[in-house]
Structure formats: structure tokens, C-alpha cells
């Protein structure tokens, strides 16, 4: 059979229909972060590795592969695999500027970062999300961070441009562009804040025709753990096809609320709403819910967990569907002398003698 996917009555994809089978799979994993930094002249170099260990109680096939991954059978039909992402980051000298009365300041920090995750065979594993499939990365990116401070005002501007040596079909969906095979979209994040108020604009632009691929604008109130924000998200139809995301919703409104219940407990709500009839949201009565997510977060000194519920609506090949999910997450930080061993060294400022 042939599966055809349409967007606004126009077919964008045609492929052979793969029969689906239901399987119960237990998943467990661990992700580490190892890094070391050292100074080089007036710059700083950081080398990092992010090893990951995954276990699945069942696999799609009994194939075992060893190229760029450590993999073997475990506990009957189960299997484990170990792989790692690694790279290096160069922080060039920071430029600073102050006014005569020190009421205004500017900091500019350029960085260059290389991130690498080799490509390896994964078709023997079941996968339904990013945690089941490791997308290869071989990216060289440059970033320029600008921060301005004036009395109670804060202005931040971060620009980034990346180049991935893997082809577009290998790049993770949310990182790829539309026409360019290796040049990633140009990104910039702009925000302006005054006391507890903040307004931000994040956009992605593809080179060539300078096409605006994605835009997100938001405004909110942030004070300690209290967070009240609302925003608007837009995605170009060509980007929807390339990333295979939000197939019939090019734009939507999102709401984020976080209310502290106590010193350790925070109650959070995330919502997304859309309007299928138009490209504006002046008529709030036409908004329909796309996502509701409620969770309770508890954070201790060296641990934390959250329990949440998510209700999601979407359309698949013209059919309306819904998903309901209960999520539980537990975080344990390093304890005792092990944590002390990897603790960052204090920053010591040397005062020049007059």
C-alpha cells in the first residue's frame, strides 16, 4: 500500500506503508557529561564528552553492530549499547566596555564550537523519539554573544551560524534547513528586560534567498521561580515539510505558567493553542487547544523529580487524534567526595598594585 501525506490539499510526501506491530519495551539509560578546560594565551579551550548508556528489554532484530558503538545482547531478547558525543569549544578573548560612571556596560564574547557524534547502525532498535535514536552530528559553529546593561535594563543578543558535514537527510529534523545541504540556518536570539519584565524574539533564517524559516516572540514576567509568559510561534510551510513537524499548524500561541508552592515545589503549566481558520489570533474564540501539560517539580539540594500529565491533539493524514501521557522523571546529582572532585575552581581576581 502507498501512504500519501497532504498539507492544505497538496501532497508533500509519498511512501510505501510499513505495517506497524505493537511491542512492550522497557527503556533505561544514563547520560554523562565529562569536560575539562584550560587556558591558551588569552583564550580558553574546553574539551567535553557526553557518553550515553542505553538498555532495551526487546529489540527489533538480533543484529549486533560494533562500528562507532559498543553493543551486545543482555537479559534474553534485550540489548545494551554505549556511544558518546564529544567535541571542543574555543572561547576567544572577551571584549568589555564601561561608561565613566559604570552605570552602562557591554560584554561581547565570540566562541567556536565543534560537536561530533559518529553515525552508526540503529535499525535493529525500536525507536519512537529522540531518546531511542541518536542522530549523527559533525557540526562546526560560531557564536557571538552580546550583553548590554544599563541601570535596570538588560539587552542580550546571541547570533549563531553552524555547518554540519553530514548530509541533510542525516541531520536531526529540528536542526535542518530547507534547501541547504550542509549550511544550517542562521539563528539569532534577542531579548530585552526591565526588572521582572522580559520581551524576546528568536528567529532562524536560511541563506540563499534569506528565507525566514522560524520565528518566536514572547513576553513574560519572571521573578525567582514565578514565571508567567505568553508567546507566538510561526514556522514556514517549507520548513514544516523538511522537518516533518506540525504538519497542519504553521503557527500557534503558547502559554507558560510556573507558580512556586514552597521553597522546593513548583507547579507548572504549558499550553499551546492554534487557529485553523486564519493566520491571526485576534479572535480568541477561534483558538483550539493543541497541547496541555501540567507537572509538579520538586528540587532538593542534590536531587529532583517531577510528575506530570500531558494531553496532546494533532492531525494525521486528515484524521484528528489525541494522546494522553503520564511522565515521571528522577534526577540524582553527584554526592560527597565524588562531587567535590569535579567541583569548579573558584574564580580569583588579581588586584593590580598601584
Amino acid at each position: 500500500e502507498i501512504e500519501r501525506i497532504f498539507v492544505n490539499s497538496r501532497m508533500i510526501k509519498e511512501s510505501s506503508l510499513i505495517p506497524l506491530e505493537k511491542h512492550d519495551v522497557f527503556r533505561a539509560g544514563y547520560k554523562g557529561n565529562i569536560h575539562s578546560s584550560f587556558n591558551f594565551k588569552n583564550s580558553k579551550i574546553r574539551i567535553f564528552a557526553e557518553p550515553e548508556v542505553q538498555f532495551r528489554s526487546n529489540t527489533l532484530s538480533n543484529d549486533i553492530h560494533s562500528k562507532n558503538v559498543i553493543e551486545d545482547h543482555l537479559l534474553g531478547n534485550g540489548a545494551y549499547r554505549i556511544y558518546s558525543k564529544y567535541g571542543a569549544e574555543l572561547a576567544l578573548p572577551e571584549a568589555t566596555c564601561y561608561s565613566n560612571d559604570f552605570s552602562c556596560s557591554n560584554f561581547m564574547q565570540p566562541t567556536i564550537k565543534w560537536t561530533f557524534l559518529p553515525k552508526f547502525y540503529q535499525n535493529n532498535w525500536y525507536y519512537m523519539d529522540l531518546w531511542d535514536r541518536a542522530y549523527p552530528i559533525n557540526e562546526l559553529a560560531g557564536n557571538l554573544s552580546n550583553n548590554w546593561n544599563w541601570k535596570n535594563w538588560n539587552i542580550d543578543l546571541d547570533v549563531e551560524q553552524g555547518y554540519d558535514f553530514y548530509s541533510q537527510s542525516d541531520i536531526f529534523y529540528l536542526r535542518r534547513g530547507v534547501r541547504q545541504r550542509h549550511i544550517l540556518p542562521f539563528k539569532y536570539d534577542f531579548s530585552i528586560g526591565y526588572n521582572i519584565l522580559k520581551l524576546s524574539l528568536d528567529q532562524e533564517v536560511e541563506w540563499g534567498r534569506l528565507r525566514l524559516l522560524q520565528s518566536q516572540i514572547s513576553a513574560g514576567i519572571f521573578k525567582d521561580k514565578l514565571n508567567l509568559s505568553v508567546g507566538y510561534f510561526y514556522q514556514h510551510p517549507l520548513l514544516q515539510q523538511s522537518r516533518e513537524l506540525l504538519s497542519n499548524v504553521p503557527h500557534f500561541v503558547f502559554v507558560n505558567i510556573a507558580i512556586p508552592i514552597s521553597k522546593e515545589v513548583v507547579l507548572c503549566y504549558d499550553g499551546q493553542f492554534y487557529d485553523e481558520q486564519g493566520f491571526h489570533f485576534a479572535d480568541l474564540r477561534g483558538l483550539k487547544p493543541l497541547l496541555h501539560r501540567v507537572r509538579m517539580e520538586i528540587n532538593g539540594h542534590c536531587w529532583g523529580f517531577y510528575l506530570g500529565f500531558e494531553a496532546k491533539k494533532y492531525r494525521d493524514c486528515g484524521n484528528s487524534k489525541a494522546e494522553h501521557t503520564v511522565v515521571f522523571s528522577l534526577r540524582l546529582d553527584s554526592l560527597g567526595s565524588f562531587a567535590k572532585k569535579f567541583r569548579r575552581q573558584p574564580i580569583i581576581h588579581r588586584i593590580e598594585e598601584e
Side-chain angles (χ1 to χ4, degrees):
E1 298 182 23
I2 301 298
E3 177 188 41
R4 296 180 175 88
I5 299 177
F6 293 84
V7 174
N8 297 330
S9 301
R10 183 164 59 92
M11 188 178 68
I12 64 171
K13 187 176 181 180
E14 180 179 286
S15 60
S16 299
L17 187 62
I18 302 176
L20 300 179
E21 297 180 359
K22 182 178 179 180
H23 289 274
D24 295 325
V25 179
F26 171 78
R27 307 187 297 174
Y30 167 81
K31 184 176 181 179
N33 192 332
I34 305 171
H35 59 90
S36 179
S37 302
F38 57 91
N39 295 323
F40 177 73
K41 295 184 178 180
N42 294 326
S43 303
K44 193 168 188 176
I45 299 177
R46 184 176 71 95
I47 301 175
F48 64 91
E50 297 177 0
E52 190 159 350
V53 182
Q54 295 181 339
F55 167 76
R56 300 296 180 268
S57 62
N58 197 2
T59 56
L60 184 61
S61 68
N62 293 324
D63 296 339
I64 294 297
H65 298 265
S66 58
K67 183 178 180 180
N68 297 326
V69 64
I70 301 174
E71 186 176 85
D72 204 350
H73 296 293
L74 182 65
L75 300 179
N77 295 327
Y80 73 91
R81 66 181 182 184
I82 304 174
Y83 59 91
S84 179
K85 178 193 298 183
Y86 49 90
E89 184 176 18
L90 171 64
L92 299 172
E94 182 183 55
T96 60
C97 181
Y98 297 91
S99 61
N100 294 332
D101 58 357
F102 293 95
S103 63
C104 181
S105 61
N106 171 244
F107 303 89
M108 185 173 62
Q109 175 71 67
T111 58
I112 301 175
K113 185 177 182 180
W114 172 67
T115 307
F116 181 67
L117 175 62
K119 186 177 180 180
F120 57 90
Y121 184 84
Q122 302 181 65
N123 292 339
N124 55 336
W125 278 52
Y126 294 110
Y127 65 91
M128 64 179 183
D129 53 33
L130 178 60
W131 289 270
D132 283 332
R133 192 169 187 87
Y135 289 86
I137 302 175
N138 190 6
E139 179 185 2
L140 183 64
N143 179 278
L144 181 62
S145 176
N146 288 271
N147 310 104
W148 291 272
N149 300 282
W150 179 67
K151 296 182 179 180
N152 293 328
W153 290 89
N154 298 283
I155 301 177
D156 299 321
L157 175 63
D158 293 339
V159 296
E160 179 177 317
Q161 177 61 60
Y163 183 95
D164 201 311
F165 294 90
Y166 281 111
S167 61
Q168 187 188 62
S169 59
D170 293 323
I171 300 174
F172 179 52
Y173 296 95
L174 300 186
R175 297 177 55 244
R176 64 177 62 166
V178 176
R179 304 297 184 189
Q180 301 291 340
R181 294 187 57 189
H182 299 284
I183 301 177
L184 300 178
F186 172 77
K187 303 178 182 179
Y188 75 87
D189 303 337
F190 173 80
S191 65
I192 180 171
Y194 179 79
N195 289 334
I196 63 174
L197 303 177
K198 184 178 181 180
L199 176 67
S200 61
L201 173 65
D202 307 334
Q203 291 188 332
E204 295 185 17
V205 180
E206 186 173 51
W207 294 103
R209 298 183 179 180
L210 294 180
R211 180 184 290 113
L212 177 63
L213 299 181
Q214 183 172 289
S215 181
Q216 177 176 316
I217 183 171
S218 61
I221 299 175
F222 303 88
K223 182 174 177 58
D224 298 329
K225 295 182 179 180
L226 177 64
N227 175 6
L228 303 173
S229 62
V230 61
Y232 168 80
F233 180 89
Y234 167 77
Q235 197 174 53
H236 195 282
L238 292 178
L239 189 66
Q240 293 177 263
Q241 301 173 26
S242 175
R243 295 184 175 179
E244 301 182 3
L245 180 70
L246 306 175
S247 61
N248 71 320
V249 185
H251 52 99
F252 58 86
V253 170
F254 58 89
V255 178
N256 305 106
I257 302 175
I259 301 176
I261 305 301
S262 65
K263 185 178 180 180
E264 295 84 10
V265 182
V266 180
L267 184 63
C268 305
Y269 167 79
D270 302 319
Q272 296 176 0
F273 304 87
Y274 71 103
D275 183 2
E276 289 185 329
Q277 303 302 322
F279 288 86
H280 60 83
F281 299 93
D283 185 7
L284 299 179
R285 296 172 298 177
L287 291 182
K288 297 181 180 181
L290 180 68
L291 171 71
H292 292 299
R293 182 187 296 124
V294 180
R295 68 184 184 276
M296 181 179 64
E297 299 180 354
I298 301 179
N299 294 289
H301 176 66
C302 54
W303 61 274
F305 84 91
Y306 71 81
L307 178 65
F309 172 79
E310 179 179 303
K312 180 180 180 181
K313 295 182 179 180
Y314 63 98
R315 294 174 65 87
D316 185 8
C317 299
N319 299 318
S320 298
K321 297 184 178 181
E323 292 181 356
H324 298 87
T325 308
V326 177
V327 181
F328 171 78
S329 176
L330 175 65
R331 188 193 79 250
L332 297 176
D333 298 330
S334 302
L335 304 176
S337 60
F338 184 79
K340 187 182 296 183
K341 181 179 178 181
F342 294 94
R343 186 174 298 166
R344 295 180 59 185
Q345 297 295 326
I347 300 175
I348 301 176
H349 298 276
R350 184 178 64 181
I351 301 177
E352 300 291 344
E353 295 182 358
E354 295 183 357

